[in-house]
């Protein structure tokens, strides 16, 4: 159950669900931590609204949740990209489809907990921005998508792309009620996965416009303002056309237009739109009342321009605009706003927070402007309503809402895992068992023994060695010998056990540093018992007389203390060790007595806790679960009917609670386990549970020749090969190693000793039982 570096606890350690502490009541009990988020979307210094939004969101998340790392993944629309800040770790090339797949690979190996996509059709390559699907299809972690455009009448390509994004996303974020309604009614998105989070805004004070006017030479003027990247769909010409009528009533009006020409428009048309506006102003004789600030302004400058405005105007021409960041900023600054009735404006300016004017209607615009300038009380009451309403939109609150959505996405993925889109399925694989390949085990083994952890496939020296893993490796070496195979250097594992035994206290130490210094004087009961199991296996099965002699001497010294252990798993491991020992020395009374005493304890525990709906030894199904019934089955095979009956009952119950509706193996997850009366943890899924189940079910079939047990063994083994919740293989045939487990969204890419040994032992046991299993196994695979 050890995964490193994400998880390094020992199997006997109690795994608990991580707690995410979020401000203002955001935290949910027993929720997974979101430690690393990647936000995909344009990023400053690229000049566009999505870039500004993505940058602001990342910065807000970073401020509100400093313990979480927020990484940006922007899209380049020009060769060479932009001079991004350190937060950017990887960039997409807009029209290069290969870069999208490369980005997915980068994210999948980077321990990313969640991806947040900022979606706008135009920023990604392909028809309707379809290139982004190549990335999203390959992601293994939860996905939360913010939709900046939701079309009421999409073309076929737009509909297809958005419907797939909806399917691939765990949560969907829209900024308006109308957006949520469109998702439900037009695209069929489930209401349960939609979150409405408003466009974020800077938290600025409510100020008198006169406070800032002198900074721009606007003292004594009534200031109208429009800001944002300029393009022909902004409708600014209609405000200019309205100015003659406004100036007749209010000759002190100045219309300020802030913003550079949109980069894409500039590449196609240069400054033709801005020049056309300037020509129009001159033709109408209002050029002295129109001021252009033709640059992309910083947030501080923008705050000052907004502060100086008496009225903010968005005369946009597209009624289908469902989000406007500039409008959100103006409302958040407490401005009196006049807008055309595009979708976002209709919603945000309702209830007296602004006024609307028809599209392309300069006369109506002039009338609204004059009304607000004439009625100071109306204008200021509108400002106050807007400002108070917008406090819910400030970036700190928006960041907390996003984190709520992130946490919920991770929780949903825990409850309902999602299979990988690209994975080898059973139908793709031949019926044969994988070939024996101990290469990765040998890579993890040095002159001391087997190292417990790896970083990806590379041994991790800093984590050192354990008696647990060297005991497993010793058992594996004997099983390999029995199969006519070999594990070169296997004597090192037995040597490690000899060195691990502390003669004075008659206990095995467990943890050893890479410097060969023991980190404890006495290891856990489980590690001691697992060492006994390994020693018994060497004695009972090995053909190496020297190995048997050492193992026998050590077994005699280490067995007596085990009868006083209190760990049920230590009882089980010791029972299995004694039973292996008794294969060679059936008349040894000490081993028989120890086995029977511990079997009585285990059986008593089962009888004390078992019920019709909970056929188990404890009030929790925790780790190395199948070894408990396996130990009783081992004693039952030696003639104890009471142990045999309890072992079969408990193992059958365990098989069924770890069987999905799709008939694949789902081990109880280490993030919470399964407590009586509680919810069964689905993740993280550990290889040791699958390996233990294989071994227990094969033993069950030997004592009870029911095909049910062969099917259960096969089901557990196929978990390693990709027949699991994510349809991802844990076994890596290229290295011979096994990945450390299944997270809700991906396989842990580290290949440590526990996982690799669990797979190799299960493989050998399956090979030894192939004459029993192969007909069932093969028939299933080709069906």
């Amino acid at each position: 159950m050890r995964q490193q570096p994400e998880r390094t606890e020992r199997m006997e350690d109690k795994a608990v669900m991580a707690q995410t502490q979020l401000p203002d009541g955001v935290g949910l009990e027993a929720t997974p931590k979101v430690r690393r988020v990647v936000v995909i979307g344009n990023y400053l210094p690229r000049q566009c609204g999505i870039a500004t939004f993505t940058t602001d969101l990342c910065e807000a998340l970073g401020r509100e949740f400093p313990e979480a790392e927020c990484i940006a993944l922007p899209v380049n629309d020009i060769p060479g990209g932009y001079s991004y800040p350190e937060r950017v770790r990887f960039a997409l090339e807009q029209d290069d489809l290969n870069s999208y797949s490369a980005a997915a690979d980068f994210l999948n190996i980077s321990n990313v907990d969640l991806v947040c996509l900022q979606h706008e059709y135009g920023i990604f390559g392909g028809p309707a921005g379809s290139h982004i699907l190549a990335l999203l299809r390959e992601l293994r972690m939860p996905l939360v998508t913010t939709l900046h455009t939701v079309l009421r009448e999409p073309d076929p390509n737009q509909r297809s792309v958005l419907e797939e994004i909806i399917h691939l996303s765990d949560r969907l974020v829209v900024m308006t009620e109308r957006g949520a309604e469109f998702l439900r009614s037009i695209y069929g998105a489930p209401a349960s996965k939609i979150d409405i989070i408003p466009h974020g805004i800077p938290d600025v004070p409510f100020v008198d416009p006169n406070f800032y006017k002198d900074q721009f030479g606007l003292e004594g003027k009534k200031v109208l303002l429009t800001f944002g990247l300029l393009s022909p769909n902004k409708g600014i010409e209609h405000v200019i056309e309205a100015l003659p009528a406004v100036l007749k009533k209010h000759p002190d009006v100045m219309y300020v237009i802030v913003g550079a020409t949109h980069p894409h428009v500039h590449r196609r048309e240069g400054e033709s739109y801005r020049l056309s506006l300037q020509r129009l102003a001159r033709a109408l004789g209002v050029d002295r009342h129109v001021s252009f600030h033709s640059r992309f302004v910083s947030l501080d400058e923008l705050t000052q321009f907004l502060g100086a405005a008496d009225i903010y105007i968005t005369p946009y021409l597209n009624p289908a605009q469902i989000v406007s960041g500039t409008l959100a900023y103006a409302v958040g600054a407490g401005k009196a706003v006049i807008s055309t009735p595009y979708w976002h404006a209709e919603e945000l300016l309702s209830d007296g927070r602004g006024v609307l004017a028809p599209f392309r209607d300069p006369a109506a615009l002039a009338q609204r402007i004059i009304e607000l300038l004439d009625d100071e009380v109306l204008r200021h009451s509108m400002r106050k309503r807007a400002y108070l309403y917008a406090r819910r939109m400030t970036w700190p609150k928006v960041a907390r809402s996003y984190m709520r959505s992130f946490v919920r996405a991770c929780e949903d993925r825990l409850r309902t895992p999602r299979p990988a889109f690209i994975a080898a399925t059973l139908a793709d694989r031949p019926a044969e068992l994988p070939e024996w390949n101990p290469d990765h085990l040998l890579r993890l083994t040095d002159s001391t023994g087997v190292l417990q952890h790896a970083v990806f496939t590379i041994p991790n020296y800093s984590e050192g060695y354990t008696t647990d893993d060297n005991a497993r490796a010793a058992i594996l070496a004997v099983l390999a010998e029995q199969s006519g195979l070999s594990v070169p250097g296997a004597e090192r594992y037995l040597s490690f056990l000899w060195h691990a035994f502390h003669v004075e206290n008659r206990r095995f130490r467990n943890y050893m540093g890479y410097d060969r210094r023991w980190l404890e004087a006495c290891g856990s009961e489980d590690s001691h018992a697992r060492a006994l199991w390994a020693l018994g296996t060497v004695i009972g099965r090995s053909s190496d007389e020297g190995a048997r002699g050492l193992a026998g001497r050590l077994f005699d010294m280490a067995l007596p203390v085990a009868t006083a252990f209190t760990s049920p798993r230590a009882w089980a491991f010791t029972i299995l060790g004694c039973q292996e020992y008794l294969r060679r020395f059936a008349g040894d009374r000490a081993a028989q007595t120890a086995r029977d005493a511990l079997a009585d304890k285990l059986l008593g525990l089962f009888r004390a806790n078992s019920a019709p709906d909970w056929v188990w030894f404890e009030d929790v199904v925790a780790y190395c679960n199948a070894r408990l019934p396996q130990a009783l089955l081992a004693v039952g095979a030696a003639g104890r009917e009471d142990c045999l009956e309890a072992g079969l009952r408990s193992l059958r119950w365990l098989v069924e609670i770890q069987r999905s509706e799709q008939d694949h193996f789902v081990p109880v997850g280490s993030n919470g386990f399964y407590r009586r009366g509680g919810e069964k943890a689905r993740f993280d899924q550990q290889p040791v549970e699958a390996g233990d189940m294989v071994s227990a079910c094969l033993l069950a079939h030997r004592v009870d020749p029911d095909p049910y047990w062969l099917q259960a063994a096969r089901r557990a083994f196929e978990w390693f090969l990709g027949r699991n919740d994510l349809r991802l293989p844990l076994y890596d045939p290229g290295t011979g190693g096994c990945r450390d487990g299944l997270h809700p969204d991906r396989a842990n890419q580290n290949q440590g000793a526990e996982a690799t040994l669990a797979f190799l032992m299960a493989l050998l046991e399956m090979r030894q039982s192939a004459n029993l299993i192969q007909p069932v196994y093969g028939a299933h695979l080709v069906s």
Side-chain angles (χ1 to χ4, degrees):
M1 199 160 60
R2 290 167 290 137
Q3 301 181 32
Q4 196 277 338
E6 292 114 316
R7 173 167 286 106
T8 57
E9 68 266 22
R10 301 298 304 183
M11 287 202 329
E12 60 268 23
D13 294 339
K14 178 182 177 183
V16 296
M17 187 72 81
Q19 298 284 330
T20 300
Q21 300 299 323
L22 304 179
D24 293 352
V26 174
L28 301 172
E29 297 214 354
T31 57
K33 280 187 177 178
V34 181
R35 299 179 181 89
R36 180 176 261 199
V37 175
V38 171
V39 183
I40 300 175
N42 296 344
Y43 208 84
L44 296 177
R46 180 171 174 177
Q47 297 179 5
C48 73
I50 299 293
T52 301
F53 181 92
T54 305
T55 304
D56 288 345
L57 176 60
C58 288
E59 292 299 317
L61 288 168
R63 287 190 299 270
E64 292 300 305
F65 305 97
E67 74 284 0
E69 183 180 9
C70 187
I71 298 168
L73 197 157
V75 186
N76 290 330
D77 62 336
I78 57 174
Y82 298 86
S83 181
Y84 293 116
E86 289 185 2
R87 193 182 294 281
V88 173
R89 292 281 307 280
F90 195 101
L92 294 170
E93 301 303 322
Q94 179 173 313
D95 296 316
D96 180 3
L97 184 59
N98 290 331
S99 78
Y100 292 80
S101 295
D105 291 341
F106 172 78
L107 296 175
N108 286 334
I109 67 169
S110 297
N111 287 330
V112 173
D113 294 306
L114 180 135
V115 167
C116 181
L117 171 70
Q118 304 304 309
H119 180 260
E120 176 67 74
Y121 290 107
I123 70 174
F124 303 110
S130 59
H131 281 5
I132 190 61
L133 298 176
L135 188 160
L136 302 183
R137 289 167 184 155
E138 297 181 34
L139 289 182
R140 302 289 178 256
M141 66 290 296
L143 172 67
V144 174
T145 297
T146 303
L147 298 169
H148 291 260
T149 294
V150 184
L151 299 174
R152 183 167 58 187
E153 297 177 353
D155 66 32
N157 285 334
Q158 291 166 335
R159 176 183 285 276
S160 175
V161 168
L162 188 52
E163 286 179 347
E164 185 164 352
I165 289 174
I166 290 169
H167 173 72
L168 294 173
S169 299
D170 296 82
R171 309 288 309 162
L172 300 165
V173 175
V174 289
M175 302 183 198
T176 63
E177 294 284 353
R178 191 186 299 253
E181 172 56 29
F182 284 179
L183 283 181
R184 293 189 295 267
S185 62
I186 299 171
Y187 299 92
S192 60
K193 71 189 295 185
I194 300 172
D195 296 318
I196 301 174
I197 303 176
H199 193 295
I201 59 170
D203 194 0
V204 299
F206 188 79
V207 298
D208 187 319
N210 293 312
F211 182 81
Y212 284 109
K213 288 181 179 179
D214 63 327
Q215 298 184 36
F216 306 106
L218 298 172
E219 304 96 323
K221 302 291 185 181
K222 295 184 176 72
V223 178
L224 314 180
L225 174 68
T226 296
F227 79 87
L229 295 172
L230 268 61
S231 61
N233 67 346
K234 298 298 185 181
I236 294 172
E237 61 273 18
H238 300 299
V239 182
I240 294 175
E241 290 171 349
L243 285 179
V246 174
L247 291 169
K248 287 180 181 178
K249 188 73 181 291
H250 296 278
D252 55 351
V253 161
M254 177 66 71
Y255 181 34
V256 178
I257 302 165
V258 177
T261 298
H262 194 290
H264 289 179
V265 175
H266 192 274
R267 285 182 212 130
R268 294 192 309 266
E269 305 171 13
E271 294 289 347
S272 59
Y273 179 59
R274 184 188 307 278
L275 293 173
S276 72
L277 296 177
Q278 292 172 346
R279 288 195 297 269
L280 177 62
R282 283 195 298 270
L284 294 174
V286 297
D287 51 304
R288 296 179 61 185
H289 296 269
V290 179
S291 174
F292 288 90
H293 293 262
S294 307
R295 65 183 188 278
F296 190 82
V297 298
S298 67
L299 179 59
D300 287 342
E301 278 189 290
L302 177 57
T303 299
Q304 293 168 9
F305 274 114
L306 276 169
D310 293 286
I311 298 174
Y312 183 77
I313 305 175
T314 58
Y316 302 161
L317 305 181
N318 179 13
Q321 185 163 345
I322 206 158
V323 175
S324 169
T326 61
L327 178 65
Y329 276 38
V331 170
K335 296 291 102 178
V337 178
I338 300 172
S339 178
T340 49
Y342 54 90
W343 293 338
H344 193 197
E346 285 184 322
E347 190 167 312
L348 190 55
L349 300 182
S350 62
D351 298 327
R353 294 187 291 270
V355 294
L356 301 176
F359 293 104
R360 306 174 188 274
D361 192 337
L365 276 172
Q367 181 182 349
R368 302 294 191 275
I369 294 168
I370 292 168
E371 287 172 354
L372 284 180
L373 291 177
D374 283 347
D375 192 338
E376 188 171 349
V377 173
L378 172 63
R379 190 169 75 249
H380 287 298
S381 65
M382 184 184 296
R383 290 186 60 210
K384 185 175 180 180
R385 280 192 292 270
Y387 185 82
L388 293 176
Y389 176 83
R391 293 313 91 204
R392 60 193 278 272
M393 299 162 56
T394 59
W395 274 118
K397 293 181 179 178
V398 166
R400 291 195 287 270
S401 294
Y402 267 92
M403 185 58 76
R404 260 195 295 270
S405 185
F406 295 167
V407 168
R408 185 169 178 185
C410 293
E411 286 186 323
D412 290 346
R413 187 68 71 92
L414 277 170
R415 286 191 291 266
T416 310
R418 179 173 300 176
F421 270 76
I422 301 175
T425 63
L426 292 173
D428 299 325
R429 291 196 302 269
E432 295 83 8
L433 293 167
E435 293 296 320
W436 168 251
N437 181 1
D439 287 355
H440 188 61
L441 176 61
L442 301 183
R443 183 181 296 114
L444 293 173
T445 301
D446 63 10
S447 61
T448 300
V450 61
L451 290 148
Q452 67 166 329
H453 283 308
V455 179
F456 294 93
T457 61
I458 307 303
N460 186 352
Y461 294 158
S462 64
E463 297 293 330
Y465 315 83
T466 65
T467 292
D468 274 323
D469 289 333
N470 281 275
R472 292 185 178 101
I475 294 173
L476 177 72
V478 175
L479 295 179
E481 176 194 338
Q482 282 196 311
S483 298
L485 303 168
S486 67
V487 179
E491 68 281 354
R492 299 168 192 171
Y493 310 130
L494 193 56
S495 295
F496 188 97
L497 297 184
W498 177 264
H499 184 54
F501 189 68
H502 197 301
V503 176
E504 293 181 4
N505 63 16
R506 290 294 199 259
R507 289 290 298 271
F508 285 96
R509 292 162 288 199
N510 192 16
Y511 292 101
M512 174 191 277
Y514 186 65
D515 59 1
R516 294 190 177 185
R517 295 185 181 184
W518 289 107
L519 305 180
E520 57 193 358
C522 180
S524 66
E525 292 182 359
D526 285 8
S527 64
H528 185 105
R530 192 174 279 108
L532 282 170
W533 182 7
L535 296 171
T537 304
V538 171
I539 295 164
R541 302 192 188 212
S542 177
S543 62
D544 186 325
E545 185 176 353
R548 294 201 309 270
L550 181 149
R553 182 174 173 184
L554 196 51
F555 188 88
D556 286 343
M557 291 190 289
L559 178 62
V561 300
T563 56
F565 286 167
T566 59
S567 163
R569 282 152 190 81
W571 302 343
F573 300 156
T574 304
I575 290 168
L576 293 171
C578 288
Q579 197 60 34
E580 290 289 341
Y581 175 91
L582 291 167
R583 290 166 65 103
R584 187 171 296 273
F585 301 117
D588 189 314
R589 295 294 299 163
Q592 290 176 2
T593 300
R595 178 200 64 187
D596 292 342
L598 294 176
D600 288 342
K601 288 185 177 183
L602 196 57
L603 183 61
L605 189 69
F606 175 75
R607 289 171 172 168
N609 287 284
S610 180
D613 62 343
W614 187 264
V615 190
W616 196 240
F617 300 82
E618 303 168 290
D619 285 334
V620 59
V621 180
Y623 63 92
C624 294
N625 298 301
R627 297 303 186 185
L628 301 181
Q630 182 181 352
L632 290 185
L633 291 175
V635 179
R640 283 193 56 172
E641 290 293 331
D642 53 350
C643 290
L644 181 64
E645 187 270 339
L648 290 173
R649 282 184 60 214
S650 57
L651 183 59
R652 186 179 290 267
W653 182 81
L654 183 65
V655 167
E656 292 305 317
I657 68 165
Q658 297 187 121
R659 182 177 183 177
S660 76
E661 294 181 358
Q662 295 75 34
D663 198 35
H664 61 259
F665 180 64
V666 184
V668 169
S670 62
N671 290 344
F673 298 141
Y674 180 27
R675 297 189 178 278
R676 191 197 297 251
E679 184 176 351
K680 181 167 53 181
R682 192 97 180 193
F683 293 97
D684 291 343
Q685 297 179 20
Q686 308 292 344
V688 69
E689 300 302 326
D692 290 356
M693 183 62 82
V694 168
S695 185
C697 289
L698 291 179
L699 176 57
H701 186 265
R702 287 195 287 274
V703 298
D704 175 30
D706 184 338
Y708 173 88
W709 301 116
L710 297 182
Q711 293 165 3
R714 179 210 68 223
R715 187 184 302 115
F717 185 75
E718 288 174 349
W719 179 89
F720 289 105
L721 305 181
R723 191 181 176 205
N724 52 50
D725 277 340
L726 303 188
R727 298 183 69 218
L728 289 174
L730 279 295
Y731 172 59
D732 181 353
T735 65
C738 180
R739 297 173 178 91
D740 276 354
L742 278 184
H743 298 300
D745 52 357
R746 65 191 185 278
N748 185 313
Q749 294 302 312
N750 300 324
Q751 298 181 14
E754 180 181 285
T756 296
L757 288 163
F759 171 78
L760 291 175
M761 282 195 279
L763 174 61
L764 286 180
E765 293 192 86
M766 293 289 284
R767 288 170 66 96
Q768 290 173 358
S769 302
N771 60 323
L772 296 174
I773 293 180
Q774 195 65 34
V776 179
Y777 191 86
H780 179 86
L781 289 179
V782 299
S783 64

